[in-house]
Amino acid sequence: MYSEKVMDHFMNPRNVGTIDNPDGVGEEGNPSCGDIMKMYLKVENDVILDAKFQTFGCGAAIASSSMATEMIKGKTLEEAWQLSNIAVAEALDGLPPIKMHCSVLAEETIHKAINDYLVKTGREPWGEPAACSTCGHDCDTCGE
């Protein structure tokens, strides 16, 4: 059911924990499944130096958080903002369709953490894409 990469990032998650005095913090949850992700960023000159996460959820949610933090470290804010849920799922060698919402939570949590940083540094938050009318997320999860 799950790829070896999903199992590896679930059993040996990277970047678990918090960052002391984070520059940006984002939290997102999915009420239908109970998954909650919180992400912490350390940013310098608009480059993400470090990213850590705390996730309460299933294996796919933990793996998505782990992979997403790996993918944004060392990236500019703009590059990290562009990371899509599809890219996270592909980096994990796929997620079952019923678990794609986990990669969506990772994307949305990154957006919230970046916007928190922007607001803390006196800048306007970046716009969020319109939410899907079917499932409420900015996603390709439901195919709408």
Side-chain angles (χ1 to χ4, degrees):
M1 179 171 176
Y2 290 115
S3 72
E4 287 183 31
K5 275 194 184 174
V6 170
M7 292 305 297
D8 180 41
H9 277 267
F10 167 59
M11 298 297 290
N12 306 292
R14 284 67 153 178
N15 309 308
V16 175
T18 62
I19 293 175
D20 290 335
N21 302 309
D23 297 308
V25 179
E27 184 172 340
E28 186 67 32
N30 184 327
S32 65
C33 70
D35 293 337
I36 299 170
M37 290 183 188
K38 192 166 189 177
M39 195 169 295
Y40 305 85
L41 303 178
K42 184 57 82 177
V43 181
E44 187 175 299
N45 297 320
D46 286 352
V47 174
I48 298 172
L49 300 180
D50 198 10
K52 296 207 180 286
F53 76 92
Q54 294 177 308
T55 294
F56 177 82
C58 65
I62 293 166
S64 293
S65 301
S66 174
M67 180 59 80
T69 56
E70 285 287 281
M71 294 175 79
I72 64 171
K73 285 168 68 173
K75 303 288 187 199
T76 66
L77 296 176
E78 293 83 6
E79 290 167 334
W81 186 273
Q82 296 302 317
L83 182 66
S84 70
N85 71 296
I86 299 299
V88 172
E90 287 174 354
L92 289 167
D93 292 337
L95 287 171
I98 197 164
K99 294 296 184 176
M100 281 299 290
H101 68 275
C102 296
S103 64
V104 173
L105 283 178
E107 177 184 345
E108 292 174 344
T109 305
I110 291 167
H111 288 178
K112 293 235 174 131
I114 289 171
N115 274 339
D116 182 57
Y117 168 74
L118 292 172
V119 169
K120 285 178 178 175
T121 57
R123 294 183 271 177
E124 288 293 315
W126 294 341
E128 291 286 340
C132 170
S133 60
T134 302
C135 69
H137 290 280
D138 162 37
C139 67
D140 298 315
T141 302
C142 65
E144 291 293 316

